[in-house]
Amino acid sequence: MSLEFTVLGSGTSVPDPERGPAGFLVRTSHGAWLVDGGTGTLQRCMQAGVDPRRLSGGIYSHHHPDHCADLVPLLFAMRVGPPSRAADYPIWGGEGLASLVAGLQSTWGKWITPGTGQLRVNELPLEAPSEVQLAPDLFLRTRPAAHSAGALHLQFASGSHRVVFSGDTGPSSELARLAEGADLLVCECAGSDEEPVGGHLYPSAIAELVAEARPRQVWLTHMYPHVDPAIAVETVARTGIPTRHASDLDRWSA
Ligand SMILES: [Zn+2]
Ligand SMILES: [Zn+2]
């Protein structure tokens, strides 16, 4: 395995029996990283074969609750074990992540210390591209997304392989650039063409950026209930790029 990407939550903030809020898992031979994590991602992580208490780190596209609410139960689980975690737990996210964490710590204090290790918060610029080496075989590259809360597009690169997650975003030339020639683009589709949602993508806008970026395949995710998945998939697939509606626990690997 050189790079593996698993969907932990293909849904939205609207409760759904089949789909949890946003969450993903990136794995290489050096570890496993949680990407976002709304409610329910810890259980999905176990179902995907990874104990979340042993994660190498976490990366957050932005701070809306449907993308990060599981941070508290995750840190608490690392503390209570058994056994409690000894290693530090590093997390990355856009500017504002440190104050979010400080707010959580002011409420939960020591209960959200990850075992005997420390929580290491790393902020990335919201207005400029950035690159972080997460492991000897894994790079994270980010670009600014177009979303109300301030958000990042995320690219995970290992060797010649690249997987890109849009995060939440309105139409974005930065996303087209980051997804250029990627093996997989996981793209939010919160709105429909008839009823777009502010600060989010919709099928014809995704088709436009896919036609420009030409990733090898597209997985649509984060569809609100008014979006017809069949129409969304068909609209994007007209570009000639294989497209599907992602489900929880779908796995891509190279
Ligand atoms: Zn959001
Ligand atoms: Zn969202």
Side-chain angles (χ1 to χ4, degrees), residues 153-196:
H153 305 306
L154 308 175
Q155 181 197 80
F156 297 91
S158 183
S160 62
H161 297 291
R162 282 171 292 142
V163 174
V164 171
F165 170 48
S166 63
D168 281 1
T169 185
S172 164
S173 58
E174 298 280 2
L175 179 57
R177 224 161 294 156
L178 199 64
E180 213 172 279
D183 295 272
L184 171 66
L185 168 62
V186 178
C187 192
E188 73 116 303
C189 184
S192 63
D193 283 3
E194 296 71 29
E195 204 181 323

Short mmCIF file of all heavy atoms in Angstrom, two decimals, residues 153-196:
data_model
loop_
_atom_site.label_atom_id
_atom_site.label_comp_id
_atom_site.label_asym_id
_atom_site.label_seq_id
_atom_site.Cartn_x
_atom_site.Cartn_y
_atom_site.Cartn_z
N HIS A 153 -8.67 23.51 0.78
CA HIS A 153 -8.67 22.31 -0.05
C HIS A 153 -7.45 21.50 0.38
O HIS A 153 -6.38 22.07 0.64
CB HIS A 153 -8.51 22.66 -1.53
CG HIS A 153 -9.51 23.64 -2.05
ND1 HIS A 153 -10.87 23.45 -1.91
CD2 HIS A 153 -9.36 24.81 -2.74
CE1 HIS A 153 -11.51 24.46 -2.50
NE2 HIS A 153 -10.61 25.30 -3.00
N LEU A 154 -7.57 20.18 0.41
CA LEU A 154 -6.49 19.33 0.89
C LEU A 154 -6.05 18.35 -0.19
O LEU A 154 -6.89 17.68 -0.81
CB LEU A 154 -6.97 18.52 2.11
CG LEU A 154 -7.61 19.31 3.26
CD1 LEU A 154 -8.14 18.34 4.33
CD2 LEU A 154 -6.61 20.28 3.88
N GLN A 155 -4.74 18.27 -0.40
CA GLN A 155 -4.18 17.26 -1.30
C GLN A 155 -3.24 16.36 -0.51
O GLN A 155 -2.36 16.87 0.20
CB GLN A 155 -3.42 17.91 -2.45
CG GLN A 155 -2.84 16.89 -3.44
CD GLN A 155 -1.75 17.48 -4.33
OE1 GLN A 155 -0.61 17.62 -3.93
NE2 GLN A 155 -2.14 17.85 -5.54
N PHE A 156 -3.41 15.05 -0.65
CA PHE A 156 -2.51 14.09 -0.01
C PHE A 156 -1.69 13.44 -1.11
O PHE A 156 -2.26 12.85 -2.04
CB PHE A 156 -3.31 13.07 0.79
CG PHE A 156 -4.07 13.73 1.91
CD1 PHE A 156 -5.37 14.20 1.72
CD2 PHE A 156 -3.45 13.97 3.12
CE1 PHE A 156 -6.05 14.86 2.74
CE2 PHE A 156 -4.11 14.63 4.15
CZ PHE A 156 -5.41 15.08 3.95
N ALA A 157 -0.37 13.55 -1.02
CA ALA A 157 0.52 13.07 -2.08
C ALA A 157 1.51 12.08 -1.51
O ALA A 157 2.15 12.32 -0.48
CB ALA A 157 1.26 14.24 -2.71
N SER A 158 1.59 10.92 -2.16
CA SER A 158 2.55 9.89 -1.76
C SER A 158 3.14 9.31 -3.03
O SER A 158 2.41 8.76 -3.86
CB SER A 158 1.84 8.80 -0.95
OG SER A 158 2.79 7.85 -0.51
N GLY A 159 4.45 9.45 -3.21
CA GLY A 159 5.07 9.04 -4.47
C GLY A 159 4.41 9.79 -5.61
O GLY A 159 4.25 11.00 -5.56
N SER A 160 3.97 9.03 -6.61
CA SER A 160 3.34 9.68 -7.76
C SER A 160 1.82 9.80 -7.61
O SER A 160 1.14 10.25 -8.53
CB SER A 160 3.66 8.88 -9.03
OG SER A 160 3.12 7.58 -8.90
N HIS A 161 1.29 9.40 -6.44
CA HIS A 161 -0.16 9.37 -6.27
C HIS A 161 -0.69 10.57 -5.50
O HIS A 161 -0.06 11.02 -4.55
CB HIS A 161 -0.58 8.08 -5.56
CG HIS A 161 -0.25 6.86 -6.37
ND1 HIS A 161 -0.89 6.55 -7.54
CD2 HIS A 161 0.69 5.90 -6.18
CE1 HIS A 161 -0.37 5.45 -8.04
NE2 HIS A 161 0.60 5.03 -7.23
N ARG A 162 -1.84 11.05 -5.93
CA ARG A 162 -2.43 12.21 -5.27
C ARG A 162 -3.95 12.05 -5.13
O ARG A 162 -4.63 11.68 -6.09
CB ARG A 162 -2.14 13.48 -6.09
CG ARG A 162 -0.72 14.00 -5.89
CD ARG A 162 -0.40 15.10 -6.87
NE ARG A 162 -0.34 14.56 -8.22
CZ ARG A 162 -0.79 15.17 -9.31
NH1 ARG A 162 -1.34 16.37 -9.24
NH2 ARG A 162 -0.70 14.60 -10.50
N VAL A 163 -4.42 12.31 -3.92
CA VAL A 163 -5.87 12.34 -3.65
C VAL A 163 -6.20 13.74 -3.14
O VAL A 163 -5.49 14.28 -2.27
CB VAL A 163 -6.27 11.29 -2.60
CG1 VAL A 163 -7.74 11.43 -2.23
CG2 VAL A 163 -5.98 9.88 -3.11
N VAL A 164 -7.25 14.32 -3.67
CA VAL A 164 -7.63 15.68 -3.29
C VAL A 164 -9.04 15.68 -2.69
O VAL A 164 -9.95 15.05 -3.23
CB VAL A 164 -7.57 16.62 -4.52
CG1 VAL A 164 -8.16 17.99 -4.19
CG2 VAL A 164 -6.12 16.76 -4.99
N PHE A 165 -9.18 16.37 -1.56
CA PHE A 165 -10.50 16.57 -0.95
C PHE A 165 -10.82 18.05 -1.02
O PHE A 165 -10.03 18.90 -0.59
CB PHE A 165 -10.47 16.07 0.50
CG PHE A 165 -11.69 16.43 1.30
CD1 PHE A 165 -12.98 16.22 0.79
CD2 PHE A 165 -11.57 16.98 2.58
CE1 PHE A 165 -14.11 16.57 1.53
CE2 PHE A 165 -12.70 17.32 3.33
CZ PHE A 165 -13.97 17.11 2.80
N SER A 166 -12.01 18.35 -1.55
CA SER A 166 -12.39 19.76 -1.75
C SER A 166 -12.54 20.51 -0.44
O SER A 166 -12.35 21.72 -0.39
CB SER A 166 -13.71 19.83 -2.52
OG SER A 166 -14.75 19.22 -1.75
N GLY A 167 -12.90 19.79 0.68
CA GLY A 167 -13.42 20.50 1.84
C GLY A 167 -14.75 21.14 1.43
O GLY A 167 -15.29 20.82 0.36
N ASP A 168 -15.29 22.00 2.25
CA ASP A 168 -16.49 22.75 1.85
C ASP A 168 -16.02 23.98 1.08
O ASP A 168 -15.11 24.69 1.51
CB ASP A 168 -17.29 23.21 3.09
CG ASP A 168 -18.13 22.09 3.68
OD1 ASP A 168 -18.08 20.96 3.15
OD2 ASP A 168 -18.83 22.35 4.67
N THR A 169 -16.67 24.23 -0.06
CA THR A 169 -16.21 25.35 -0.88
C THR A 169 -17.24 25.77 -1.92
O THR A 169 -17.99 24.92 -2.40
CB THR A 169 -14.90 24.98 -1.60
OG1 THR A 169 -14.40 26.14 -2.30
CG2 THR A 169 -15.10 23.85 -2.60
N GLY A 170 -17.26 27.02 -2.23
CA GLY A 170 -17.95 27.48 -3.42
C GLY A 170 -17.05 27.21 -4.62
O GLY A 170 -15.96 26.65 -4.47
N PRO A 171 -17.51 27.57 -5.82
CA PRO A 171 -16.66 27.39 -7.01
C PRO A 171 -15.28 27.97 -6.77
O PRO A 171 -15.15 29.06 -6.21
CB PRO A 171 -17.42 28.15 -8.09
CG PRO A 171 -18.86 28.06 -7.66
CD PRO A 171 -18.83 28.14 -6.16
N SER A 172 -14.22 27.23 -7.17
CA SER A 172 -12.88 27.60 -6.75
C SER A 172 -11.84 27.19 -7.79
O SER A 172 -11.67 26.00 -8.07
CB SER A 172 -12.57 26.89 -5.41
OG SER A 172 -11.20 26.91 -5.13
N SER A 173 -11.16 28.19 -8.36
CA SER A 173 -10.09 27.87 -9.31
C SER A 173 -8.91 27.24 -8.57
O SER A 173 -8.12 26.49 -9.15
CB SER A 173 -9.64 29.13 -10.05
OG SER A 173 -9.21 30.10 -9.11
N GLU A 174 -8.78 27.53 -7.27
CA GLU A 174 -7.72 26.91 -6.47
C GLU A 174 -7.91 25.40 -6.41
O GLU A 174 -6.94 24.64 -6.44
CB GLU A 174 -7.73 27.48 -5.04
CG GLU A 174 -7.48 28.97 -4.93
CD GLU A 174 -6.00 29.32 -5.03
OE1 GLU A 174 -5.18 28.42 -5.21
OE2 GLU A 174 -5.68 30.53 -4.94
N LEU A 175 -9.16 24.96 -6.32
CA LEU A 175 -9.43 23.52 -6.28
C LEU A 175 -9.08 22.87 -7.62
O LEU A 175 -8.49 21.80 -7.66
CB LEU A 175 -10.91 23.26 -5.92
CG LEU A 175 -11.33 21.79 -5.87
CD1 LEU A 175 -10.49 21.00 -4.89
CD2 LEU A 175 -12.82 21.67 -5.51
N ALA A 176 -9.44 23.55 -8.71
CA ALA A 176 -9.10 23.01 -10.03
C ALA A 176 -7.60 22.84 -10.16
O ALA A 176 -7.11 21.82 -10.67
CB ALA A 176 -9.64 23.94 -11.12
N ARG A 177 -6.84 23.79 -9.64
CA ARG A 177 -5.38 23.72 -9.73
C ARG A 177 -4.84 22.55 -8.90
O ARG A 177 -3.99 21.80 -9.34
CB ARG A 177 -4.77 25.04 -9.25
CG ARG A 177 -3.65 25.54 -10.14
CD ARG A 177 -3.38 27.01 -9.92
NE ARG A 177 -4.50 27.84 -10.34
CZ ARG A 177 -4.76 29.06 -9.87
NH1 ARG A 177 -3.98 29.59 -8.97
NH2 ARG A 177 -5.78 29.74 -10.31
N LEU A 178 -5.36 22.42 -7.67
CA LEU A 178 -4.86 21.39 -6.77
C LEU A 178 -5.22 19.98 -7.27
O LEU A 178 -4.50 19.02 -7.02
CB LEU A 178 -5.43 21.60 -5.36
CG LEU A 178 -4.70 20.93 -4.20
CD1 LEU A 178 -3.29 21.50 -4.04
CD2 LEU A 178 -5.48 21.10 -2.90
N ALA A 179 -6.36 19.88 -7.97
CA ALA A 179 -6.86 18.56 -8.40
C ALA A 179 -6.35 18.16 -9.78
O ALA A 179 -6.68 17.09 -10.28
CB ALA A 179 -8.39 18.57 -8.41
N GLU A 180 -5.52 19.02 -10.39
CA GLU A 180 -5.06 18.77 -11.75
C GLU A 180 -4.35 17.41 -11.85
O GLU A 180 -3.33 17.19 -11.20
CB GLU A 180 -4.10 19.88 -12.16
CG GLU A 180 -4.16 20.21 -13.63
CD GLU A 180 -3.32 21.45 -13.93
OE1 GLU A 180 -3.83 22.55 -13.70
OE2 GLU A 180 -2.16 21.28 -14.33
N GLY A 181 -4.95 16.50 -12.63
CA GLY A 181 -4.33 15.19 -12.86
C GLY A 181 -4.30 14.28 -11.65
O GLY A 181 -3.61 13.26 -11.66
N ALA A 182 -5.05 14.61 -10.59
CA ALA A 182 -5.04 13.77 -9.37
C ALA A 182 -5.62 12.39 -9.68
O ALA A 182 -6.42 12.23 -10.60
CB ALA A 182 -5.85 14.45 -8.27
N ASP A 183 -5.23 11.41 -8.89
CA ASP A 183 -5.80 10.07 -9.05
C ASP A 183 -7.27 10.07 -8.67
O ASP A 183 -8.07 9.36 -9.26
CB ASP A 183 -5.05 9.07 -8.16
CG ASP A 183 -3.62 8.90 -8.59
OD1 ASP A 183 -3.36 8.04 -9.44
OD2 ASP A 183 -2.76 9.67 -8.11
N LEU A 184 -7.59 10.83 -7.61
CA LEU A 184 -8.97 10.85 -7.11
C LEU A 184 -9.29 12.24 -6.58
O LEU A 184 -8.50 12.81 -5.82
CB LEU A 184 -9.12 9.82 -5.98
CG LEU A 184 -10.44 9.84 -5.20
CD1 LEU A 184 -11.61 9.43 -6.09
CD2 LEU A 184 -10.35 8.90 -3.99
N LEU A 185 -10.43 12.78 -7.00
CA LEU A 185 -10.96 14.01 -6.41
C LEU A 185 -12.22 13.66 -5.63
O LEU A 185 -13.18 13.14 -6.21
CB LEU A 185 -11.29 15.04 -7.51
CG LEU A 185 -12.10 16.26 -7.03
CD1 LEU A 185 -11.35 17.08 -5.98
CD2 LEU A 185 -12.51 17.14 -8.22
N VAL A 186 -12.18 13.89 -4.34
CA VAL A 186 -13.37 13.73 -3.49
C VAL A 186 -13.96 15.12 -3.31
O VAL A 186 -13.31 16.00 -2.73
CB VAL A 186 -13.00 13.09 -2.14
CG1 VAL A 186 -14.24 12.96 -1.26
CG2 VAL A 186 -12.35 11.72 -2.37
N CYS A 187 -15.16 15.30 -3.84
CA CYS A 187 -15.67 16.67 -3.98
C CYS A 187 -17.04 16.82 -3.34
O CYS A 187 -17.95 16.03 -3.59
CB CYS A 187 -15.75 17.01 -5.47
SG CYS A 187 -16.02 18.75 -5.78
N GLU A 188 -17.17 17.85 -2.53
CA GLU A 188 -18.48 18.13 -1.93
C GLU A 188 -19.47 18.58 -3.00
O GLU A 188 -19.09 19.21 -3.99
CB GLU A 188 -18.33 19.20 -0.85
CG GLU A 188 -18.09 20.62 -1.38
CD GLU A 188 -19.23 21.57 -1.04
OE1 GLU A 188 -20.37 21.26 -1.44
OE2 GLU A 188 -18.97 22.61 -0.41
N CYS A 189 -20.74 18.21 -2.80
CA CYS A 189 -21.80 18.61 -3.73
C CYS A 189 -23.03 18.92 -2.89
O CYS A 189 -24.05 18.24 -2.98
CB CYS A 189 -22.06 17.48 -4.73
SG CYS A 189 -23.26 17.90 -6.00
N ALA A 190 -22.93 19.97 -2.09
CA ALA A 190 -23.98 20.26 -1.09
C ALA A 190 -25.26 20.77 -1.73
O ALA A 190 -26.33 20.65 -1.16
CB ALA A 190 -23.46 21.27 -0.07
N GLY A 191 -25.14 21.35 -2.92
CA GLY A 191 -26.31 21.94 -3.55
C GLY A 191 -26.62 21.31 -4.90
O GLY A 191 -25.82 20.56 -5.46
N SER A 192 -27.80 21.64 -5.42
CA SER A 192 -28.18 21.23 -6.77
C SER A 192 -28.05 22.45 -7.69
O SER A 192 -27.94 23.58 -7.21
CB SER A 192 -29.61 20.70 -6.80
OG SER A 192 -30.51 21.75 -6.44
N ASP A 193 -28.09 22.22 -9.00
CA ASP A 193 -28.03 23.36 -9.93
C ASP A 193 -29.23 24.29 -9.71
O ASP A 193 -29.10 25.51 -9.80
CB ASP A 193 -28.03 22.87 -11.38
CG ASP A 193 -26.66 22.33 -11.78
OD1 ASP A 193 -25.75 22.30 -10.92
OD2 ASP A 193 -26.51 21.93 -12.95
N GLU A 194 -30.40 23.69 -9.40
CA GLU A 194 -31.62 24.49 -9.22
C GLU A 194 -31.62 25.20 -7.87
O GLU A 194 -32.23 26.25 -7.72
CB GLU A 194 -32.87 23.60 -9.29
CG GLU A 194 -33.10 22.91 -10.62
CD GLU A 194 -32.10 21.80 -10.89
OE1 GLU A 194 -31.60 21.18 -9.93
OE2 GLU A 194 -31.80 21.57 -12.07
N GLU A 195 -30.98 24.57 -6.88
CA GLU A 195 -31.01 25.11 -5.53
C GLU A 195 -29.61 25.05 -4.92
O GLU A 195 -29.33 24.21 -4.06
CB GLU A 195 -31.99 24.29 -4.68
CG GLU A 195 -32.56 25.03 -3.50
CD GLU A 195 -33.50 24.14 -2.68
OE1 GLU A 195 -34.24 23.33 -3.27
OE2 GLU A 195 -33.45 24.26 -1.45
N PRO A 196 -28.71 25.90 -5.42
CA PRO A 196 -27.35 25.89 -4.86
C PRO A 196 -27.37 26.40 -3.42
O PRO A 196 -28.28 27.10 -3.02
CB PRO A 196 -26.57 26.84 -5.77
CG PRO A 196 -27.58 27.62 -6.53
CD PRO A 196 -28.91 26.92 -6.46
#
